[in-house]
Amino acid sequence: MTELEHKQDRAPVPAGWDYAPAPEARDIVQLEERYGLFVGGELVEPRSGEWFPTLSPATEEPLAQVALAGAEDVALAVDAAREALEGEWAKTTPSERAKYLYRIARILQERSREFAVLESLNGGKPIKESRDVDLPLAAAHFFYYAGWADKLEYAFPNRKPRPVGVCGQIIPWNFPLLMLAWKIAPALAAGNTVVLKPAETTPLTALLFCDVVRQAELPPGVVNIVTGDGSTGAHLVKHTGVDKIAFTGSTEVGKAIQRELAGTGKKLTLELGGKAANIVFDDAALDQAVEGIVNGIYFNQGHVCCAGSRLFVQESIYEPALAKLKRRMATLRVGDPLDKNTDVGAINSRMQLEKIQELVEAGKDEGAEIYQPPCRLPEKGYWFVPTVFTNVAQSYRIAQEEIFGPVLSVLTFRTPDEAVEKANNTPYGLSAGVWTEKGSRILSMASKLRAGVIWANTYNRFDPTSPFGGYKESGFGREGGLHGLGPYLRFDE
Ligand code: NAI
Ligand code: MG
């Protein structure tokens, strides 16, 4: 270590830094008491007659009642999507389709503060992330796919691309609006119609999006949104009028959907979990790498399928790396998602909190060493302190299973080959990170790591032009880029 690094390691953590509260105003969001289902361009009462509350995970305050769609409701939404597919949407020229997508993108930009506040309120993520990441990326997705809508013949020359038909799309709660954008933008660009089901804990931005769809004057039935739980999702998967299912969520449900669809001829893409390796070599710029480690696992409370949840540090720099990481962790501000200074917000649901707690207990029982910075948590709501485990063996549950929370497992390696072998020792294969000064090492690692997305000297970077998706139990099919259009098209071979 250099002398400067020694000095920095001894410098006290600035624990006395208190930030004045900087809450984002909530009044831009107008909540309804209850929300129906968006079918054929209208919000309608559910035939099921069932409703459920949705709340703020930071305060447990109920925000609204949301419809729980049953089989009949799902069928009505699929019928509306079919009618639009064969009716007005079929007559809409590709360049007109592009105009609708551009319109949606611009409306999302105009209303971005409203969406960002609602996203943080309903999902618990820090406002600085919903404002600076989720919203800009959601709009960028619509802009990007708008550009392809009238160029499909060029994108897939001589293959006569046609829409697949009615697409059933099921999304999770970690990036509610962004996952909606990932699903709806390419589907519409390719000329399909959709029935989308948001996750049960985060339906509100999808319901606000219905308003955007109306504002953009999209023909009724092109986008339908049915709220509900896993049973609603299952009805959508089973419905014979659906031509394609796109699912993002747990590996367990992904496998069940794949079994259900086997032999039906329905198209399927799955984006499932991950247990990514973030690999730091001894020649990496260490401060930068520490920022990348923190971003990799504590961004969005670790509710990220591509989170860098397994940190591999080269043995020769293990001690300085850990010292710097712990110092950095002590500066993370955990608390009110609507406060602009907050780094780590609320855990999305009680269920998810319990899952994190269970795995953290397992880590302690198996013999790993836990570190959590001193941290005062709010009394109400669902919270978990940013956590790092050292002394982790490859076989421990915390090194094998997806925790989907702010919990990092640290392992070490000596040689690049050992890093590759350990990193690939997982049933998943969604993403990985490599930190090194050597370009040749980046290329060699990228070719050996079995992961769909590999970041070099950065982490959790997303761009609509870049395909995203996994290997092995992380699923199949790509979202984003040209690759993301393929699953929404049929070709005359
Ligand atoms: P989940 O897979 O149950 O939920 C995701 C979506 O699928 C939700 O909209 C849900 O209503 C729906 N769904 C649930 N059961 C279904 C079924 N049988 N048929 C059709 N749709 C169904 O995920 P959950 O329970 O919320 O989280 C469990 C774990 O899954 C997390 O702890 C995390 O490890 C992982 N996960 C991974 C995500 C990713 O981005 N890859 C996102 C969410 C969860
Ligand atoms: Mg589940």
Side-chain angles (χ1 to χ4, degrees):
M1 267 198 293
T2 66
E3 201 178 320
L4 184 67
E5 277 170 331
H6 264 297
K7 265 195 198 150
Q8 283 181 346
D9 283 343
R10 283 199 303 270
V13 169
W17 282 10
D18 256 343
Y19 283 72
E24 179 74 44
R26 242 180 91 159
D27 51 8
I28 191 162
V29 168
Q30 307 287 325
L31 287 171
E32 308 282 332
E33 230 163 82
R34 57 186 221 177
Y35 292 87
L37 304 164
F38 191 63
V39 177
E42 305 282 339
L43 279 168
V44 299
E45 298 265 313
R47 298 274 172 103
S48 69
E50 286 187 65
W51 305 80
F52 65 100
T54 185
L55 43 82
S56 153
T59 58
E60 298 173 60
E61 159 203 354
L63 298 172
Q65 290 284 324
V66 173
L68 198 155
E72 199 187 343
D73 297 303
V74 169
L76 287 173
V78 173
D79 289 348
R82 174 69 52 194
E83 204 183 313
L85 179 81
E86 287 164 6
E88 212 172 326
W89 200 230
K91 286 182 259 154
T92 308
T93 62
S95 60
E96 282 296 314
R97 280 205 313 265
K99 277 195 216 168
Y100 285 115
L101 289 169
Y102 279 123
R103 247 188 236 172
I104 291 172
R106 282 198 307 271
I107 297 169
L108 282 178
Q109 286 183 320
E110 280 162 16
R111 299 180 66 175
S112 67
R113 201 163 79 81
E114 184 183 358
F115 270 98
V117 171
L118 187 58
E119 195 76 308
S120 285
L121 201 56
N122 197 197
K125 63 172 67 200
I127 185 76
K128 83 174 173 198
E129 290 178 8
S130 46
R131 180 193 63 198
D132 299 345
V133 181
D134 297 71
L135 260 294
L137 278 174
H141 244 81
F142 280 101
F143 273 122
Y144 174 73
Y145 280 111
W148 279 123
D150 60 352
K151 300 175 195 70
L152 297 175
E153 302 280 348
Y154 301 95
F156 302 97
N158 302 320
R159 295 187 65 197
K160 298 201 173 64
R162 286 175 291 119
V164 168
V166 173
C167 301
Q169 308 180 313
I170 299 168
I171 58 171
W173 40 264
N174 50 343
F175 294 91
L177 184 74
L178 185 58
M179 289 303 103
L180 174 150
W182 280 28
K183 296 279 180 284
I184 293 184
L188 298 197
N192 301 282
T193 58
V194 307
V195 178
L196 176 130
K197 192 199 87 67
E200 47 271 53
T201 56
T202 54
L204 292 181
T205 46
L207 290 164
L208 185 59
F209 184 78
C210 302
D211 206 31
V212 173
V213 167
R214 282 201 290 220
Q215 214 181 327
E217 295 176 2
L218 203 67
V222 173
V223 169
N224 304 275
I225 294 186
V226 290
T227 49
D229 58 12
S231 68
T232 311
H235 293 312
L236 188 55
V237 169
K238 285 200 185 91
H239 197 291
T240 49
V242 172
D243 301 300
K244 176 201 158 61
I245 291 288
F247 172 79
T248 299
S250 63
T251 297
E252 184 197 347
V253 173
K255 284 180 178 175
I257 292 176
Q258 193 173 11
R259 277 194 295 271
E260 180 72 39
L261 294 193
T264 62
K266 280 184 206 171
K267 283 185 115 179
L268 174 65
T269 42
L270 297 175
E271 203 266 87
L272 310 175
K275 190 75 186 173
N278 202 2
I279 306 168
V280 183
F281 285 96
D282 59 6
D283 63 343
L286 201 49
D287 289 308
Q288 212 176 305
V290 167
E291 285 309 304
I293 295 164
V294 167
N295 172 268
I297 188 66
Y298 303 121
F299 170 65
N300 200 31
Q301 296 73 246
H303 301 328
V304 182
C305 46
C306 52
S309 52
R310 289 181 301 152
L311 173 65
F312 289 94
V313 185
Q314 197 154 16
E315 240 175 53
S316 48
I317 55 158
Y318 176 77
E319 277 166 24
L322 261 286
K324 279 174 188 283
L325 175 62
K326 288 177 182 174
R327 273 166 39 85
R328 179 66 179 88
M329 283 170 71
T331 67
L332 290 173
R333 289 175 298 263
V334 184
D336 182 4
L338 285 180
D339 192 307
K340 290 169 217 157
N341 291 322
T342 293
D343 297 306
V344 178
I347 299 303
N348 185 266
S349 65
R350 184 183 298 280
M351 219 175 83
Q352 188 58 28
L353 179 61
E354 284 165 4
K355 177 181 168 185
I356 297 168
Q357 286 165 337
E358 186 209 321
L359 278 158
V360 166
E361 283 311 309
K364 289 196 234 168
D365 291 346
E366 284 179 305
E369 196 175 304
I370 188 170
Y371 171 78
Q372 294 176 320
C375 181
R376 230 179 310 127
L377 296 179
E379 272 162 25
K380 282 203 131 183
Y382 316 130
W383 306 95
F384 203 84
V385 181
T387 300
V388 56
F389 274 113
T390 49
N391 279 333
V392 179
Q394 292 253 76
S395 57
Y396 290 179
R397 285 183 67 195
I398 53 169
Q400 290 292 331
E401 295 179 32
E402 183 175 54
I403 302 176
F404 225 62
V407 182
L408 178 66
S409 298
V410 185
L411 299 105
T412 59
F413 67 94
R414 288 183 186 172
T415 63
D417 283 347
E418 190 186 342
V420 169
E421 201 183 305
K422 286 182 165 172
N424 286 340
N425 179 7
T426 166
Y428 294 110
L430 190 54
S431 60
V434 180
W435 298 80
T436 171
E437 195 187 56
K438 293 188 184 67
S440 57
R441 183 176 278 161
I442 291 171
L443 294 176
S444 123
M445 291 297 289
S447 66
K448 291 175 192 151
L449 290 169
R450 291 280 292 158
V453 181
I454 295 165
W455 287 292
N457 295 327
T458 186
Y459 207 91
N460 273 340
R461 287 249 171 195
F462 304 97
D463 190 292
T465 64
S466 174
F468 183 92
Y471 285 102
K472 301 193 279 187
E473 290 201 2
S474 292
F476 49 79
R478 294 293 178 264
E479 296 184 285
L482 253 187
H483 299 71
L485 278 172
Y488 287 101
L489 291 165
R490 282 187 205 283
F491 301 103
D492 282 341
E493 300 299 345

